Amino acid sequence: MTSSDIDVRNVTIIGSGPAGLTAAIYTARASLEPLVIEGEPSSTGDQPGGQLMLTTEVENFPGFPEGIMGPELMLNCRAQAARFGAELKTEKVSRVDLSSRPFGIWVGDPEVADPTYRSHAIIISTGAKALMLDQENEQRLIGRGVSTCATCDGFFFRDADIAVIGGGDSAMEEANFLTKFARSVTVIHRRDSLRASQIMEDRARANPKVSFLWDTTVTDVLGDQTVTGVALENVKTGETGTLDVTGVFVAIGHRPNTDLFKGQLEMKDNGYLVTDGKSTRTNVEGVFACGDVQDDVYRQAVTAAGSGCAAAIDAERWLEDQH
């Protein structure tokens, strides 16, 4: 391939999910003919369409009073983007070069000299991945009692006994929130003290529905079609046992999918991309970031979609200024 053969785009969206597909809808309607490189399924849980492709019913996305299945919502967004002229490719980006414009984007072998595509603007929507326990049944029971988002799924666990796994602020926030619905919430932590801030710990300890299992790890999630419990092991004594629960909320953190951009884009200490104020601009002119890849606070489908809209408008206006 010679440099003259390389496909040059107005705007390329790396990643899909609510943020990327909303950006695709808006840039396509602006006649920018966006290319969406939506990723490929992987054994580590990566999925074109993002985390909602692994979610069952979504009840808190506006416009669906009866709820909608996560995969259906994403497939509808994908079809809407395609209807307006977005080109979607089920490929995985292996390398980017943001040192000069048009930017270089590699798919496949990252060591080849010439990029697969070049793009005047890039919108990054690669999302973040909830850290999991890597237990045998965990992935199989996601959406069937296993969750990583209390705000998303807590409503489905009314009068249920729930386990929350983790010891940080996120785990305490999840535990307290779930008590609005659950009969009981048991926090399972591998140490004998929490990593959470004192105020979050105090709130959880003061909540009569919250109890704690210390020095304990979850060795497996139990259940055939739905969660029926968790298998436990005490890390100090080696004692094993089970806890009967119908919900398991894993709250051990998130990891943004930003490895592609290390050394090229400004990041927070936790790896999330830094954007300028309320905009989606990164520190590289012409590169924009939206959704969970830059949001370590809200992490909701609707906020991701909103930031995807913002990224599309930011990119469109920036391209107008350039041309």
Side-chain angles (χ1 to χ4, degrees):
M1 179 186 294
T2 65
S3 58
S4 61
D5 296 327
I6 297 173
D7 193 2
V8 181
R9 302 298 182 113
N10 289 317
V11 58
T12 298
I13 300 164
I14 302 176
S16 45
L21 292 176
T22 301
I25 291 167
Y26 272 77
T27 51
R29 291 186 75 248
S31 300
L32 293 175
E33 301 177 333
L35 169 66
V36 183
I37 307 176
E38 56 183 352
E40 292 178 331
S42 75
S43 59
T44 59
D46 294 325
Q47 189 82 354
Q51 295 184 57
L52 284 187
M53 293 298 290
L54 304 173
T55 303
T56 51
E57 193 168 9
V58 178
E59 288 197 328
N60 55 3
F61 199 91
F64 299 94
E66 303 302 321
I68 185 171
M69 301 300 283
E72 182 183 0
L73 177 60
M74 288 299 90
L75 291 173
N76 286 348
C77 291
R78 191 180 191 277
Q80 190 173 1
R83 173 194 166 201
F84 290 118
E87 182 180 0
L88 298 106
K89 294 199 173 185
T90 308
E91 301 173 330
K92 185 173 182 178
V93 174
S94 56
R95 176 185 163 195
V96 295
D97 180 4
L98 307 180
S99 61
S100 62
R101 296 196 302 267
F103 304 114
I105 303 169
W106 281 256
V107 168
D109 186 358
E111 300 302 324
V112 299
D114 292 319
T116 313
Y117 310 103
R118 286 195 178 276
S119 188
H120 296 294
I122 289 178
I123 295 175
I124 298 168
S125 58
T126 48
K129 188 182 303 180
L131 299 178
M132 303 296 285
L133 301 172
D134 295 328
Q135 302 299 342
E136 182 177 354
N137 292 318
E138 184 183 42
Q139 288 292 330
R140 180 174 61 81
L141 291 171
I142 286 179
R144 296 176 172 83
V146 174
S147 174
T148 60
C149 178
T151 309
C152 310
D153 299 330
F155 180 82
F156 300 111
F157 293 88
R158 289 189 177 276
D159 299 320
D161 296 311
I162 296 174
V164 172
I165 303 168
D169 279 353
S170 293
M172 297 306 101
E173 186 174 353
E174 300 270 279
N176 278 312
F177 180 84
L178 288 167
T179 60
K180 297 179 180 180
F181 312 101
R183 179 168 54 232
S184 70
V185 175
T186 303
V187 176
I188 303 171
H189 188 42
R190 60 185 176 179
R191 298 186 177 92
D192 59 4
S193 61
L194 298 174
R195 294 180 290 104
S197 60
Q198 192 62 53
I199 188 171
M200 294 301 294
E201 178 176 347
D202 291 345
R203 287 176 185 172
R205 287 182 179 274
N207 194 316
K209 287 188 177 182
V210 177
S211 59
F212 294 84
L213 271 179
W214 304 106
D215 301 317
T216 300
T217 60
V218 172
T219 57
D220 204 0
V221 180
L222 308 176
D224 293 327
Q225 300 302 314
T226 59
V227 169
T228 59
V230 289
L232 305 172
E233 181 179 359
N234 187 290
V235 298
K236 291 184 176 178
T237 66
E239 182 181 357
T240 60
T242 60
L243 177 68
D244 293 334
V245 292
T246 54
V248 176
F249 284 77
V250 183
I252 57 176
H254 289 76
R255 181 178 182 273
N257 299 316
T258 53
D259 287 350
L260 272 175
F261 314 107
K262 286 182 177 177
Q264 301 190 76
L265 293 178
E266 184 181 356
M267 300 180 186
K268 300 179 184 178
D269 291 341
N270 59 7
Y272 286 80
L273 296 181
V274 173
T275 49
D276 181 17
K278 292 184 178 181
S279 80
T280 62
R281 297 187 300 270
T282 69
N283 61 300
V284 174
E285 190 176 348
V287 179
F288 308 86
C290 57
D292 286 6
V293 76
Q294 53 84 232
D295 173 17
D296 58 352
V297 177
Y298 301 105
R299 294 194 296 261
Q300 299 296 303
V302 67
T303 53
S307 70
C309 165
I313 294 172
D314 286 345
E316 179 188 357
R317 290 174 177 172
W318 181 82
L319 285 166
E320 286 177 355
D321 289 342
Q322 300 306 301
H323 295 301

